[in-house]
Amino acid sequence: MDLSHPISTAIPSLDGPVLAVLAGTTQPLTGRRVHSLVGAGSETGVRKVLHRLADTGLVVAVEVGASTVYTLNRDHIAAAAVQELASLRELLFERLRVSIGSWAVAAVHASVFGSAARGDGSLSSDIDILLVSADETDPEDPVWVDQVSALADGVYRWTGNHAQIYGLSVAQLQDHFAAGEPIVEQWARDAVRVHGPEFRQLRHQLAGRSHG
């Protein structure tokens, strides 16, 4: 899955990103504004897509003065499918929440970081996941190992992208904080929580604690 334009998984042409932009707002947008938000193709190409989609009825085009503004026709029978395709990253996060939340050996925290969290990846990008276990969890416990392996397999089946799981115990995470590891700031900036407390909240909870 192209993590910058997930809708292109099913709609690989410029139509996909254009529809994703329109699905993300109810505000009428000019062709120039749509092109700016799409961040791909030429303005002329985007306008051609908008005109073609307006001909199908999926997009509504309205003349406002000298400009034409466009909105997604949410009454169109195809609109629900477009909106679901435009929300594939959120659907991935929800599947991760459900999967990790059902584990027999509970995780303390899990979050997506990197390009998947920022939405600027590509077809070849990994899905980066920070996974924090309790200190008493044996990382070699077969149940834990099977859970993590099933999660990685699931991510690949759901997206076609490999999962890169950064596994730490609570104590190891505290060591990262104490050492000022650069990746900690990336987690604080980008992490999208899928299980447990928000990363910044967890960091605050662990601040000042010691471990033996």
Side-chain angles (χ1 to χ4, degrees), residues 1-210:
M1 186 168 74
D2 182 344
L3 297 169
S4 60
H5 295 295
I7 198 171
S8 66
T9 302
I11 310 176
S13 65
L14 186 57
D15 298 47
V18 168
L19 285 168
V21 165
L22 295 179
T25 182
T26 57
Q27 183 73 27
L29 302 174
T30 64
R32 178 174 296 178
R33 181 58 177 156
V34 172
H35 175 249
S36 173
L37 292 171
V38 164
S42 66
E43 185 174 338
T44 298
V46 167
R47 290 185 186 278
K48 287 180 178 178
V49 168
L50 289 166
H51 292 160
R52 183 170 63 254
L53 292 172
D55 287 341
T56 71
L58 184 55
V59 168
V60 176
V62 177
E63 301 294 332
V64 179
S67 300
T68 304
V69 295
Y70 303 89
T71 55
L72 180 68
N73 176 11
R74 284 171 166 75
D75 292 324
H76 197 286
I77 59 174
V82 169
Q83 289 174 286
E84 186 167 359
L85 286 170
S87 303
L88 289 180
R89 281 177 63 248
E90 289 73 18
L91 179 58
L92 168 62
F93 299 154
E94 182 58 27
R95 286 200 179 182
L96 289 169
R97 290 186 184 100
V98 171
S99 178
I100 298 172
S102 69
W103 282 3
V105 180
V108 171
H109 168 89
S111 55
V112 178
F113 67 98
S115 59
R118 296 190 302 270
D120 60 4
S122 67
L123 280 171
S124 60
S125 296
D126 290 337
I127 308 293
D128 297 308
I129 301 171
L130 169 64
L131 182 62
V132 182
S133 60
D135 287 334
E136 59 268 24
T137 298
D138 180 356
E140 302 302 321
D141 178 350
V143 176
W144 177 261
V145 171
D146 286 349
Q147 289 175 162
V148 176
S149 177
L151 180 68
D153 290 343
V155 167
Y156 186 75
R157 290 197 311 273
W158 302 333
T159 66
N161 302 78
H162 292 285
Q164 183 68 36
I165 299 176
Y166 200 114
L168 297 172
S169 67
V170 169
Q172 290 170 330
L173 181 60
Q174 286 179 275
D175 288 340
H176 275 56
F177 293 156
E181 296 287 352
I183 198 170
V184 170
E185 294 310 316
Q186 182 181 348
W187 293 334
R189 182 181 65 248
D190 298 333
V192 176
R193 179 189 69 86
V194 292
H195 182 78
E198 294 285 351
F199 179 79
R200 291 184 180 184
Q201 180 184 355
L202 178 62
R203 186 180 188 181
H204 178 74
Q205 289 173 352
L206 296 178
R209 289 193 193 178
S210 61

